[in-house]
Amino acid sequence: MDANFVNIAIVVVYLVAMLAFGWWGKSRTKNNSDFLVAGRRLGPFLYTGTMAAVVLGGASTVGGVGLGYRFGISGMWLVVAIGAGVLLLSLLFASTIQKLKIYTVSQMLSLRYGSRATQTSGIVMLAYTLMLCATSTGAYATIFVVLFGWDRALAIAIGGAIVLVYSTIGGMWSITLADQVQFVIKTVGIFFLMLPFTLNAAGGLDGIRARVDASFFQIDGIGIQTIITYFVVYTLGLLIGQDIWQRVFTAKTPTVARWGGATAGIYCILYGAAGALIGLGARVALPDIDVKALGKDVVYAEVATQLLPIGVGGLVLAAAVAAMMSTASGALIAAATVARADVVPFVASWFGKTINTDDTDNPEHDVRANRMWVLGLGIVAIVIAIITKDVVAALTIAYDILVGGLLVAILGGLIWKRGTGVAAAASMAVGSVITLGTMIILEVNAEVPLEGIYANEPIYFGLAASAIVYIAVSLLTTPTDSAVMANWRRRVAGRAVVVVVVEEDQAPVRTH
């Protein structure tokens, strides 16, 4: 039987299964909470699987193997940094975040600081999640181009439509159920198929060690500066990303959020080590791959098609698609949630109008409205992925502003009682401006296009400026209103809060 036919059949079965899980999830979706955060009732197994699935995308799976091919063991650091972010978020903040019973990061800022100025964070978060969705959509389409021979635009449109359908139908319940399948496929594909087959083809670790330079076994072979950058960008970014927080909101209890997430973080670290070993084995078994000309991401597909038996390669390719679809669907529902809950009310306030997007007395209306946002932004993400050749640059800009501009205000609100709303707004503004300004200056003076955008300095300078402003302004301004802090403490303790005072001249607004 033709190997390519078997591989195609396996991937097609997987895609059909994703649509089936969309319909299954629809039966569980009755209201806003069900659609956006799976009713906040995921237990340890479902929560761990969905958290691991959403953070381990194409960069972790396909990219991780490619890094292992180029740099050996040290190629694991990108995924290790992601796992470290999940671990830190889970052990330090997840239980607190879960108790807040909110839907977005911006709602946490408003609840903690009582300031409408912090709602600008929603715009940055929307840009980040939308670009993340577009990037993931373009990534898994590359698998379809190779497998089916489709045109790139057609591959993006069909792949994006599948994610769009199951995400729109059942929201977070459909995404969670699909994530469990994707989690299992990735686990089997990486740990039980690719890793042993590749190591065997390379003659085991002893065979590899005898045929590659010693630098491939050096833990810092990829470069200390690169490792630091991975931790600054990915670890810190995971601490505050809406797509990750929205998964935390789905946990049934603070204990599930903490330990289920910690388990997912450990899994990610092991996943990174496995990917690097697969790439290292491929370096020996398939030494002629021209990664400079074809790119490091081609290594994954080469291993799947050349080193694995018929059928096994198809499952491994499905694992790559699963990884990318998990990230895309998570980013899509995060973008829709932020757009409806944060951005629309904030923009409406510019025109003196008040829009309440909280649960109403008509749950079906709430679900329908959310579906429309998912559908609309999903189409936008597909179009961006089709017409833009380098959405990674846009994602990098959004990621840098996310960390450089928002990290200090968000974490400061969680760990420092003296932090104020004025300080949070000022740090967000200064951090974002410094990050963007540094990026523009470096790009204008760069010898290579996009060199300034991909530089490390913007995020470092933005973070430093944001932290200095946050601390200084907090100490120089009046502490946060006692009523706001009292409501915050009750919410963190797990007790419901009906209203929160938003600035002295504003009427109280509902927080749920």
Side-chain angles (χ1 to χ4, degrees), residues 245-270:
W245 276 42
Q246 198 153 341
R247 287 307 205 280
V248 176
F249 300 150
T250 66
K252 186 176 183 179
T253 66
T255 300
V256 169
R258 173 176 291 174
W259 298 113
T263 302
I266 294 171
Y267 174 89
C268 291
I269 293 173
L270 296 175

Side-chain angles (χ1 to χ4, degrees), residues 353-365:
K353 296 182 179 180
T354 300
I355 296 179
N356 179 22
T357 59
D358 297 330
D359 287 347
T360 68
D361 293 330
N362 186 347
E364 291 185 2
H365 178 272

